[in-house]
Amino acid sequence: MKVKTTMTSISKFVALAVFAAGAATISFAPPSQAQAGRPAVIAPDAAVRPDCCELATKAFSTGSAGWTVKFPNAQATPAAFVTPKHQLWDLIPGSKWIGPSATASASAPAGVYIYTYHLGCLCDVPKGIQSVPASLSLRVLADDAIVVKLNNFPIFTKTTGWSFRNGPPAPPADAAPIGGFPVNVTSAHFNTGCEDNVLTFEVTNGLTGPTGLDVLGTMSGYFHQPSPGKPCPCGPRDPRGNSN
């Protein structure tokens, strides 16, 4: 009986060992396809600049791809390049007019037309580098009135007079400046940390008739990819700033 008990104990011990080995094998099994596609988190390194970021100044205008316009009580659609421009519209050199229609004389209903442009993602300022604030510089013309917003924060408003012409028949006191209205913004209203920065231009067409928008601009800062004009693709980041 003693021998039998000992053998039984040995058998249980072997069985437990096999079970434990199996459990160990399961816990270290190859990752699933979903797990394999997820980048591993990298330990932070203060001496290394996030390789997803680049300090750059990027130019854009209403001649760039990526602009959308939302009609009053309608869905957003790609904005149309207006060629040739309306005879009363001035032009900011290096840009184009865009609108809900490619025909300058096309009659559009009165109301607010919301133009949207994605500036892209800005990284946090990398460690070991002194703060370089992001900046935005714009020249703007619009038919008729306009409110410009960065990340839903108003940065420029022109709601009276002529917002699209400098010379006659615009009254001198209400005319737009030559080259468009200047708009300059520092880092206070920018999103960082892989969150998109979005410009919106709320253009009011006061009466039924032509309407449009003309913009020329630059933005500076530590950029994630992609280039401006596309929604930010970034998700949660590892400590170096790479998107997951």
Side-chain angles (χ1 to χ4, degrees):
M1 290 297 293
K2 289 183 180 180
V3 173
K4 186 174 181 180
T5 300
T6 302
M7 292 301 293
T8 301
S9 300
I10 293 172
S11 298
K12 288 182 178 179
F13 176 81
V14 171
L16 288 171
V18 171
F19 176 80
T25 302
I26 293 171
S27 65
F28 290 95
S32 67
Q33 186 174 358
Q35 291 172 326
R38 188 179 305 156
V41 174
I42 304 173
D45 182 354
V48 179
R49 179 176 64 85
D51 55 13
C52 70
C53 297
E54 59 173 324
L55 180 60
T57 297
K58 300 190 178 184
F60 61 93
S61 74
T62 37
S64 307
W67 289 86
T68 62
V69 57
K70 183 181 183 300
F71 292 40
N73 302 317
Q75 297 294 318
T77 61
F81 295 114
V82 182
T83 306
K85 68 178 182 62
H86 193 280
Q87 61 182 355
L88 286 180
W89 293 346
D90 287 343
L91 180 67
I92 302 170
S95 66
K96 293 181 179 180
W97 277 85
I98 57 174
S101 170
T103 305
S105 60
S107 184
V112 178
Y113 294 74
I114 301 176
Y115 296 81
T116 300
Y117 189 74
H118 294 271
L119 293 168
C121 310
L122 288 173
C123 306
D124 297 320
V125 177
K127 293 181 179 180
I129 297 178
Q130 292 184 347
S131 176
V132 179
S135 63
L136 175 69
S137 179
L138 302 174
R139 307 290 297 190
V140 181
L141 292 170
D143 182 353
D144 294 304
I146 186 168
V147 176
V148 184
K149 295 181 179 179
L150 172 62
N151 300 323
N152 209 35
F153 185 90
I155 58 175
F156 176 77
T157 300
K158 177 67 166 62
T159 57
T160 60
W162 294 57
S163 302
F164 51 88
R165 187 169 179 84
N166 176 263
D174 291 333
I178 296 174
F181 295 97
V183 183
N184 296 288
V185 183
T186 56
S187 58
H189 307 300
F190 286 97
N191 293 326
T192 59
C194 215
E195 186 176 353
D196 206 357
N197 288 276
V198 182
L199 273 175
T200 51
F201 300 79
E202 299 176 1
V203 177
T204 299
N205 196 26
L207 299 173
T208 298
T211 186
L213 174 69
D214 185 14
V215 177
L216 181 72
T218 58
M219 181 176 173
S220 299
Y222 281 97
F223 280 92
H224 282 279
Q225 297 301 322
S227 300
K230 298 180 181 179
C232 179
C234 306
R237 299 173 303 149
D238 65 43
R240 285 192 181 184
N242 298 314
S243 60
N244 290 335

